[in-house]
Amino acid sequence: MNTNRRSFVKATATLAAAAPFILTARAQEPQRKLGVALVGLGSLATNQIAPALAKNTRLCKLTALVSGTPEKLTKWQAQYGIPATHCYNYEQFDRLKDNPDVDIVYVVLPNSMHPEFTVRAAQAGKHVFTEKPMANSAAECQQMIDACKQAKRRLGVGYRCQFTPHHLEMIRLSRYEVFGRLKCVEAAFGFKIGDPTQWRLRKALAGGGALMDVGIYAIQGMRYLVGEEPVSVQAFETKTDKVKFAEVDETITWELKFPGGVLAKGATTYAFNGMNYLRGLAENGWFELGPQAYGYGGLNGRTSKGPLELPQVDHFAAELDDFAECILKNRPTRASGEEGLADLKVIEGIYRSIAEGKAVKLG
Ligand code: NDP
């Protein structure tokens, strides 16, 4: 077992010990749930995050709203019982610093807006949880990390999969070498994108296409199964609809090489459905998630010994309760700013490899 693998086995022992703690209800609840301000009341905030905060979180609750759309604020105030004093537009955002009912600011805006609102939230003295991708460049990720460090506030990224029994089990099987040493990883996530006018297809707002939006899950999966940082990447791109995808990538495949010798093969697309898996191939067997590896509507998977029978959880409640617990117990989060930065470094490497038409070094 090499040093990296040994240290990751140690880290996973902590993770495995923490998992039941994260995923099950406990007798002792804190006196006060931490307050969460949601920034950007779009599709994800409306359909997933707010319901999770209303119904399923144990350690935090919705206490404030930030939106550029006054009608949404009116509707949400009534729906979630938020007082008018706790509703802000983007210009008023910095007034959050005077609101003692807000501990965590959850940034659910288009990707390019994550850095500005993360930095402003930290400067307002709040802990920050930001959606993925953390930012559109590694340099911006670093600025966000620095701003939170300077303000002595915590920074988390919405890597919800890492808090599900399915992904935790994949990590355990890999790191404990249950099927022997890991040799290869295959991971892919894509979907057929609709509305051609949406911000996800505008480079200025999205930073990139399928890779930034959903390919990032496959990169995360590769990195947490292997437990090392990749040293090189070779990537290829194809664009079959040059009008719809004029500004961003449509379909990309890539191969990462890890220092211990593991090779990881990945793919992402905005052009078709059906690509949704994470697979570890080891000396004595294999383990995989799919055909639902990353969605929040229910995960499935199996190993070379049989099906994975694991409970389904509310991904958003799980990630938010973990972040709240990190704050309450003063412990680090796995879904940290550093994790977000590491993924952006790989993404930048993939784009560089495509631009240069050759394998490039990472790190
Ligand atoms: P939406 O377009 O549905 O919502 C974004 C919201 O941001 C808007 O409704 C609007 O809210 C606000 N906004 C402010 N400025 C702009 C602008 N210039 N253009 C568009 N919207 C603006 O996006 P999603 O909710 O799907 O995605 C938000 C973030 O969440 C993204 O970073 C995305 O990657 C991430 N995401 C993560 C998922 C996960 O599984 N973890 C799944 C889906 C998305 P308002 O009117 O209130 O100002």
Side-chain angles (χ1 to χ4, degrees):
M1 201 185 281
N2 64 32
T3 315
N4 265 339
R5 195 162 291 272
R6 207 174 300 122
S7 64
F8 272 104
V9 165
K10 204 170 142 215
T12 315
T14 317
L15 184 148
F21 187 64
I22 295 162
L23 298 166
T24 59
R26 286 170 302 142
Q28 272 199 333
E29 297 294 350
Q31 304 259 307
R32 180 179 80 91
K33 286 185 175 187
L34 296 186
V36 177
L38 274 185
V39 187
L41 308 182
S43 160
L44 186 70
T46 305
N47 300 319
Q48 301 301 328
I49 303 170
L53 282 164
K55 284 186 260 163
N56 294 332
T57 46
R58 292 177 294 109
L59 306 178
C60 51
K61 64 175 184 180
L62 185 62
T63 53
L65 306 168
V66 183
S67 171
T69 313
E71 309 82 66
K72 287 186 192 170
L73 287 174
T74 310
K75 184 170 171 235
W76 281 58
Q77 269 183 60
Q79 188 174 353
Y80 290 104
I82 309 292
T85 50
H86 289 39
C87 293
Y88 308 82
N89 62 31
Y90 299 115
E91 289 71 42
Q92 299 161 336
F93 177 90
D94 309 279
R95 289 193 205 156
L96 278 169
K97 78 173 183 318
D98 301 319
N99 190 333
D101 294 331
V102 174
D103 303 282
I104 298 166
V105 169
Y106 192 162
V107 181
V108 203
L109 294 162
N111 309 342
S112 66
M113 300 172 78
H114 298 175
E116 177 191 340
F117 284 89
T118 295
V119 171
R120 282 170 69 180
Q123 287 171 350
K126 306 300 178 186
H127 301 286
V128 195
F129 200 74
T130 183
E131 260 311 325
K132 45 53 60 181
M134 182 174 162
N136 290 350
S137 72
E140 286 174 314
C141 292
Q142 191 60 60
Q143 286 162 13
M144 294 156 82
I145 292 169
D146 293 345
C148 290
K149 268 201 187 126
Q150 205 178 349
K152 297 191 168 56
R153 298 292 91 181
R154 288 196 178 274
L155 174 58
V157 182
Y159 286 137
R160 55 183 170 70
C161 290
Q162 285 202 48
F163 302 98
T164 65
H166 288 78
H167 284 261
L168 288 169
E169 177 63 0
M170 290 289 283
I171 295 170
R172 188 189 73 82
L173 293 171
S174 170
R175 308 274 183 90
Y176 281 99
E177 300 181 351
V178 173
F179 292 96
R181 286 200 63 174
L182 187 66
K183 296 293 180 184
C184 278
V185 176
E186 294 174 348
F189 192 18
F191 69 101
K192 187 171 180 173
I193 199 163
D195 180 9
T197 65
Q198 64 185 287
W199 65 262
R200 280 181 172 76
L201 299 172
R202 302 281 80 86
K203 189 169 166 58
L205 284 165
L211 182 66
M212 289 289 267
D213 190 21
V214 286
I216 193 167
Y217 288 91
I219 293 168
Q220 263 276 298
M222 291 170 168
R223 290 183 45 254
Y224 57 65
L225 280 200
V226 181
E228 295 174 344
E229 294 306 323
V231 288
S232 67
V233 61
Q234 175 134 32
F236 298 92
E237 179 183 16
T238 184
K239 206 172 269 198
T240 58
D241 186 339
K242 293 189 173 56
V243 176
K244 189 167 186 178
F245 303 108
E247 294 184 28
V248 301
D249 47 279
E250 174 196 307
T251 302
I252 289 178
T253 64
W254 69 90
E255 212 154 309
L256 295 179
K257 195 167 183 181
F258 288 84
V262 176
L263 279 179
K265 215 169 148 179
T268 188
T269 188
Y270 266 165
F272 54 90
N273 292 322
M275 211 158 63
N276 193 329
Y277 57 83
L278 174 62
R279 200 170 285 143
L281 300 124
E283 283 170 314
N284 307 321
W286 50 265
F287 39 102
E288 67 176 14
L289 298 181
Q292 288 302 325
Y294 308 102
Y296 37 75
L299 303 178
N300 42 42
R302 61 210 61 77
T303 76
S304 42
K305 286 194 172 153
L308 282 174
E309 309 279 9
L310 295 163
Q312 306 291 343
V313 296
D314 179 331
H315 296 198
F316 296 92
E319 68 174 12
L320 278 164
D321 270 346
D322 181 79
F323 190 60
E325 195 179 274
C326 287
I327 295 164
L328 292 164
K329 299 206 154 186
N330 197 23
R331 68 159 167 83
T333 170
R334 292 195 302 285
S336 63
E338 283 75 12
E339 275 294 304
L341 169 63
D343 284 341
L344 256 295
K345 283 183 178 170
V346 176
I347 287 175
E348 287 184 343
I350 289 174
Y351 286 136
R352 209 165 64 242
S353 168
I354 291 166
E356 295 178 14
K358 60 177 191 191
V360 299
K361 284 196 170 26
L362 295 169

